[in-house]
Amino acid sequence: MKTLVKWTTFDYHKMIESGILKGRQCELIDGEVVEMSPELPQHYNTAKRSVSYLENILKGKADVRFNGPITLSNSEPEPDIAIVKLPESKYDQHHPYADDIFWLIEVANTSLIKDLSIKKKIYAEAEIAEYWIINLQTQELIVFRQPEQGDYLCEIKWEKPIINPLAFPGIDIFISHLLT
């Protein structure tokens, strides 16, 4: 039988501070330090363009973070996009916590299985109200809402041209701007 040591976010931060993880692209997922997959150009550029678009329409309402860590109870993932509460200076001493997050977006190509299973589970357990996956393989948006008991009760392959995030129901987000 194999027994793994589960790391806390405190342990993980100490590893980072001490330089143990220097030069490695990793994140803490459910107590395990996991290496992140390298990003292909389409993945990076889709996320970057989406961040720019969301920053423009959410200006003064939310901080749109790009490839930055968030701190959950036993995970510190780095979602492609995190839409969090203002002010930005709130995160000078710590990464956003679950209650700071309006919604998260992962851009998926090679990471689709991980985003649909592992990431979805940890975001639901943290009660992140809304989680989106931009699926580059099928050019569609998958939306998860209503976290309950470690899963999302609502999963929608969004087919309409516009989506209104739960946190900002009066804001129209054009799906085509996220998929290009």
Side-chain angles (χ1 to χ4, degrees):
M1 185 167 147
K2 184 166 56 170
T3 304
L4 298 175
V5 173
K6 292 285 188 173
W7 303 101
T8 66
T9 54
F10 178 80
D11 297 330
Y12 183 65
H13 291 167
K14 288 295 183 190
M15 287 183 220
I16 293 168
E17 289 170 15
S18 70
I20 292 172
L21 301 174
K22 187 174 182 171
R24 300 189 78 162
Q25 290 289 95
C26 52
E27 58 189 345
L28 183 69
I29 302 294
D30 197 24
E32 297 178 12
V33 179
V34 178
E35 281 206 78
M36 295 168 46
S37 302
E39 291 183 348
L40 295 171
Q42 181 188 22
H43 178 279
Y44 178 83
N45 285 329
T46 299
K48 186 176 181 216
R49 283 191 295 266
S50 295
V51 165
S52 180
Y53 171 63
L54 292 170
E55 283 176 332
N56 285 331
I57 62 175
L58 294 171
K59 190 173 184 83
K61 294 175 177 52
D63 179 25
V64 181
R65 299 170 63 89
F66 179 45
N67 286 342
I70 58 172
T71 302
L72 307 177
S73 64
N74 63 348
S75 298
E76 194 163 281
E78 296 188 22
D80 294 309
I81 305 169
I83 297 85
V84 301
K85 295 176 182 175
L86 290 171
E88 184 179 315
S89 61
K90 179 178 184 177
Y91 311 110
D92 288 347
Q93 302 303 314
H94 63 82
H95 301 303
Y97 300 131
D99 61 349
D100 297 317
I101 299 167
F102 290 121
W103 83 95
L104 299 173
I105 303 173
E106 295 284 2
V107 177
N109 193 349
T110 58
S111 65
L112 183 61
I113 293 170
K114 178 181 175 183
D115 294 337
L116 284 169
S117 58
I118 298 166
K119 292 274 184 105
K120 181 180 127 183
K121 178 181 178 281
I122 63 171
Y123 296 156
E125 285 175 351
E127 298 187 359
I128 306 298
E130 191 163 15
Y131 169 44
W132 299 357
I133 298 176
I134 298 172
N135 184 344
L136 295 176
Q137 296 173 11
T138 58
Q139 288 294 295
E140 66 185 353
L141 179 68
I142 305 168
V143 177
F144 299 96
R145 293 176 169 167
Q146 298 175 316
E148 189 173 300
Q149 297 178 349
D151 200 3
Y152 286 95
L153 299 180
C154 180
E155 176 182 338
I156 306 164
K157 288 187 179 179
W158 204 265
E159 295 182 3
K160 299 175 187 172
I162 295 172
I163 187 168
N164 304 97
L166 295 175
F168 303 102
I171 301 274
D172 290 341
I173 297 176
F174 289 84
I175 305 304
S176 61
H177 286 81
L178 301 175
L179 297 173
T180 57

